[in-house]
């Protein structure tokens, strides 16, 4: 059974940093492309960024508004993917989902981690 | 950025009726790079359809989808009580990947 478990969410002030972790199990993690998708409270879904498998280059891609502030990384030895978020803004407030990619669509989702940016 | 516009915003139906949801892209995204998701309150989204028309594992065959270019459709042949939810389309032809704003089937 595929499991994705996010952790690290919480309340931070504007300008602060936060790191989300996603522990994966139930599939061959090293071969998977992983993404983060967020959902502000009461609003729709927004892709944040992704990281390819190391076999496919390990490169990352980001939503333009977060490109210079967020960094996605992976640790294949621990089946984990991370989202480092710096210089957080109030508009970054959302539930952040860790998801597996299936040819560009998202076939498995974690339960989400709530990040609240507020002074 | 490719903007996806879903219509209608809300679809009011009774169980057993047919639901037709539309997703229109602001530019041609080809014939294969569209997905559909279902989201219920308090839950993560669930993949229904990928590659425009392929059902994800475990998705019942009352869900079907089609389209190409800029116009895509998700059809629920006969709505079951568990189908009342929010539905999102998503394109993965271009970066950044984008979602529609959602259609609420109530």
């Amino acid at each position: 059974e595929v499991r994705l478990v996010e952790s690290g969410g919480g309340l931070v002030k504007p300008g602060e940093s936060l790191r989300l972790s996603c522990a994966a199990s139930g599939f061959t993690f090293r071969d998977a492309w992983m993404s983060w998708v967020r959902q502000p409270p009461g609003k729709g879904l927004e892709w944040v960024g992704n990281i390819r498998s190391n076999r496919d280059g390990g490169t990352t891609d980001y939503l333009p508004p977060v490109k210079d502030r967020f960094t996605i990384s992976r640790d294949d030895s621990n089946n984990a993917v991370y989202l480092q978020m710096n210089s957080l803004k109030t508009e970054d407030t959302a539930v952040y989902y860790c998801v597996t990619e299936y040819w560009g669509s998202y076939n498995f989702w974690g339960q989400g981690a709530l990040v609240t940016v507020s002074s | 950025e490719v903007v996806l516009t879903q219509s209608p915003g809300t679809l009011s139906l009774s169980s057993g009726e047919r639901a037709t949801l539309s997703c229109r892209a602001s530019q041609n995204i080809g014939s294969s790079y569209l997905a559909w998701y279902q989201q219920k309150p308090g839950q993560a989204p669930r993949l229904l359809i990928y590659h425009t028309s392929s059902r994800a594992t475990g998705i019942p065959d009352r869900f079907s989808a089609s389209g190409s270019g800029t116009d895509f459709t998700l059809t629920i042949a006969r709505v079951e009580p568990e189908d009342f939810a929010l539905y999102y389309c998503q394109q993965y032809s271009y970066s950044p990947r984008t979602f529609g704003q959602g259609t609420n089937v109530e």
Side-chain angles (χ1 to χ4, degrees):
Chain A
E1 177 195 6
V2 172
R3 275 177 56 86
L4 299 167
V5 180
E6 301 94 339
S7 59
L11 172 63
V12 296
K13 292 181 169 55
E16 293 186 342
S17 298
L18 202 62
R19 187 197 198 207
L20 300 183
S21 300
C22 172
S25 60
F27 63 101
T28 307
F29 181 79
R30 66 178 180 274
D31 292 338
W33 292 30
M34 301 297 295
S35 270
W36 290 91
V37 174
R38 67 184 180 184
Q39 186 169 36
K43 296 189 178 179
L45 301 167
E46 184 174 59
W47 174 78
V48 173
N50 71 350
I51 186 166
R52 298 182 177 198
S53 65
N54 282 319
R55 178 183 65 181
D56 292 323
T59 54
T60 52
D61 191 16
Y62 298 96
L63 183 70
V66 310
K67 190 176 191 299
D68 296 325
R69 302 185 293 121
F70 290 10
T71 302
I72 298 173
S73 59
R74 65 188 299 151
D75 180 352
D76 289 349
S77 62
N78 286 305
N79 287 359
V81 62
Y82 306 99
L83 177 63
Q84 176 68 43
M85 301 182 288
N86 298 332
S87 304
L88 282 161
K89 305 177 180 181
T90 55
E91 53 263 39
D92 296 319
T93 294
V95 173
Y96 284 74
Y97 294 102
C98 169
V99 299
T100 59
E101 290 204 10
Y102 183 69
W103 297 103
S105 62
Y106 308 123
N107 56 341
F108 293 107
W109 297 64
Q111 85 287 354
L114 177 61
V115 173
T116 303
V117 185
S118 174
S119 55
Chain B
E1 169 176 316
V2 177
V3 176
L4 298 178
T5 302
Q6 292 187 240
S7 61
T10 299
L11 191 55
S12 297
L13 296 167
S14 299
S15 293
E17 290 190 308
R18 183 182 186 88
T20 303
L21 287 67
S22 173
C23 176
R24 177 162 289 178
S26 60
Q27 63 189 80
N28 190 327
I29 61 170
S31 60
S32 299
Y33 303 115
L34 192 100
W36 291 91
Y37 301 85
Q38 177 193 69
Q39 188 178 31
K40 296 180 180 179
Q43 296 183 16
R46 175 174 72 145
L47 177 66
L48 297 175
I49 301 286
Y50 64 96
H51 287 355
T52 299
S53 59
S54 298
R55 276 189 299 277
T57 302
I59 302 304
D61 61 7
R62 63 179 181 273
F63 290 91
S64 64
S66 63
S68 67
T70 59
D71 290 307
F72 298 84
T73 300
L74 173 70
T75 300
I76 311 173
R78 290 168 305 281
V79 173
E80 298 285 341
E82 61 267 29
D83 300 336
F84 292 103
L86 262 171
Y87 291 82
Y88 294 96
C89 58
Q90 176 238 338
Q91 66 82 22
Y92 45 98
S93 183
Y94 295 98
S95 181
R97 296 162 186 198
T98 49
F99 291 87
Q101 84 282 12
T103 289
N104 184 30
V105 176
E106 63 171 31

